[in-house]
């Protein structure tokens, strides 16, 4: 396979996905190549559409469609459901875990990461200012900070 540079590059990229190494990436790529019309072509089209149309809201951090604007779990611009609390999480995966457990009913705010205690991480990359704006604008009574128990997560929680 050394002559197939494209395949080696694809293996390298796919093995960066969480839970996938080079062996798993090779199996996935082989399946795609052997099923070009049924799997590869639709996958390419869907990925292209997601790349073109989906982005992160700069206000609440939830994924949004370029067609509809922010329409996530707790739409930041049109808060149809009035809750008095907001749950602050590091990333979308954290929100999905909490949401799937059905233990919380309220708004979410996705920071987009954590502050690194060892480096001079710029806080402007995190959506902390917009969190404060949301709390004030919506007169929220409770803020649940659900950052990880790591040093970075606790540093971020303390900063907030």
């Amino acid at each position: 396979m050394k002559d197939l540079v494209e395949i080696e590059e694809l293996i390298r990229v796919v093995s960066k996905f969480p839970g996938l190494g080079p062996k798993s990436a090779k199996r996935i790529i082989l399946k795609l190549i052997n099923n070009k019309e049924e799997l590869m072509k639709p996958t390419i089209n869907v990925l292209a559409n997601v790349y073109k149309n989906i982005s992160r809201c700069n206000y609440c951090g939830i994924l949004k469609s370029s067609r509809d604007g922010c329409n996530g779990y707790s739409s930041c611009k049109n808060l149809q459901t009035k809750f008095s609390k907001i749950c602050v999480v590091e990333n979308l995966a954290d929100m999905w875990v909490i949401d799937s457990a059905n233990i919380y009913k309220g708004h979410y705010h996705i920071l987009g990461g954590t502050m690194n205690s060892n480096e001079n991480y710029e806080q402007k990359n995190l959506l902390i200012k917009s969190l404060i704006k949301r709390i004030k604008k919506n007169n929220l009574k409770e803020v649940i900070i659900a950052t990880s128990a790591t040093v970075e997560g606790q540093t971020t929680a303390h900063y907030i």
Side-chain angles (χ1 to χ4, degrees), residues 1-109:
M1 269 209 316
K2 296 295 182 201
D3 295 341
L4 302 173
V5 177
E6 297 89 351
I7 301 294
E8 291 298 324
E9 180 67 13
L10 188 55
I11 291 169
R12 188 184 64 74
V13 170
V14 171
S15 25
K16 290 182 179 181
F17 292 157
L20 296 180
K23 286 183 181 180
S24 297
K26 285 178 186 177
R27 284 193 296 273
I28 291 169
I29 291 162
L30 184 59
K31 183 74 172 177
L32 288 170
I33 290 171
N34 288 333
N35 297 283
K36 283 186 175 182
E37 291 302 315
E38 297 135 27
L39 286 177
M40 187 182 287
K41 193 173 183 179
T43 301
I44 291 168
N45 291 336
V46 169
L47 284 172
N49 282 333
V50 168
Y51 180 80
K52 184 172 79 173
N53 296 316
I54 304 298
S55 63
R56 182 175 173 232
C57 177
N58 290 327
Y59 191 64
C60 69
I62 292 175
L63 295 179
K64 64 177 183 162
S65 168
S66 60
R67 294 181 303 275
D68 303 326
C70 183
N71 60 356
Y73 284 77
S74 58
S75 179
C76 60
K77 301 233 172 26
N78 183 19
L79 296 175
Q80 296 168 345
T81 309
K82 286 290 181 185
F83 294 113
S84 63
K85 58 188 172 184
I86 191 165
C87 181
V88 181
V89 294
E90 293 174 17
N91 55 53
L92 189 61
D94 296 335
M95 184 191 86
W96 285 345
V97 168
I98 294 169
D99 202 52
S100 68
N102 286 325
I103 57 173
Y104 172 74
K105 295 288 182 225
H107 300 294
Y108 287 94
H109 189 87

Side-chain angles (χ1 to χ4, degrees), residues 56 111 121-129 159:
R56 182 175 173 232
L111 293 172
Y121 186 80
E122 295 185 35
Q123 290 125 16
K124 70 180 179 182
N125 295 334
L126 300 178
L127 297 180
I128 295 173
K129 288 182 182 177
Y159 179 81

